[in-house]
Amino acid sequence: MLSNVSDIKELIISTLGSHCSLQVLKGAKDEGFKTLLICEKNRANLYKRFHFIDEIYFMDTFADLSSKEIQNELIAKRILLIPHGTLISNLKLDELENINIPIFGNKWILRWEADRVLKQKLMKDSNFNIPQQINNKNEIKNLCIVKLHGAAGGKGYFLAWNEQSFDEGCQKLIDQKVIKSEKELYIQEYVVGVPIFLQFFYSPLKDEVELLGIDRRYESDIDGIGRIPSNIQINLNLEPSYNVIGNFPLVLRESLLQEVFSMAENFAKKTKELVAPGIPGPFCLEGVYDKNGKFVIFEFSARIVAGTNLFTNGSPYADLLYDEPMSMGRRISREIKEAIKSNRLDKIIT
Ligand code: AMP
């Protein structure tokens, strides 16, 4: 539908008002595009402050995006939608795959991000070191992290070290109506070390992976528990949670970078084989470096992550590649611009 575009003025870069929308639209504006924000009415007061947003399209809730009528209105405006975590968490996967609005990147790969079985396959086939998966609660022998399916930003995760602690954590989630049964949970070996999030951009136009930033997350309340002395912690019977509140910038020891690129290149190659057209655009490899410098990858995100918001003005890694501030949001729009110029928009849109 957007394949006849020959000038950047013929389409509008758009995203949902949440997650990393400010950075994405600022980047689009810096590249010369018009921008449109899809916004829930209750957030108008936040988003109207930013002058790089040319138009705001209001809806009651993001779930309204599944309506064909609303999709047609947005298509008529000639938007190209940049997907992020909020799109994934507000639409069902079928709705997302059936959406008629042109989407930047590969919308089919979002199922591989959300579905633990597919995710596991892609990570194994990419030759990643991955944490052991525990198939049954009675096989829990060491410290484990218990997760929910989907992009929940670490909400509802808990630690378990035997069947009883699993059952207790699970019951709490059922009582809080977060889940209906333990079948919705996924048990993984807990990897001891430091969590690191590697932010990449794969360009199908150049057939190249770029490392554009690295971060770690600031999670509540796991990152706050260490502020309470251990004797007090014991009496409080605290339960750690992993709700992402913010992010810190990071650089890695340079000697680790060689492997960082080979992991990302393997991943980009495997995605092409398993879920065409692969991974045009941003993705993130998320894991823990252990004390021997081994990276164990527990997740990937097959789209832009919010940790890239740190680098609206470029990161130390982006700075090595570009002589101008290059955020992930801007990099997306740069790729779209290049694709329009070389008549290859079909390579980066699904
Ligand atoms: P996720 O939503 O899967 O990215 O995970 C949320 C947080 O849980 C991460 O930022 C880590 O702090 C932690 N985490 C997830 N998986 C593991 C693991 N296998 N071992 C240790 N920590 C983990």
Side-chain angles (χ1 to χ4, degrees), residues 6 11 17 39 47 107 118 166 194 231 281 285:
S6 59
L11 59 80
C39 186
Y47 288 107
K107 67 178 173 186
L118 293 176
F166 173 89
V194 290
N231 59 329
L285 300 183

Side-chain angles (χ1 to χ4, degrees), residues 147 157 188-191 197 217 219 242 286 298-299:
K147 303 183 173 188
Y157 289 7
Q188 202 174 64
E189 163 199 2
Y190 186 92
V191 185
F197 296 77
R217 293 178 180 165
E219 293 161 329
Y242 297 81
E286 313 175 359
F298 54 74
E299 291 280 348

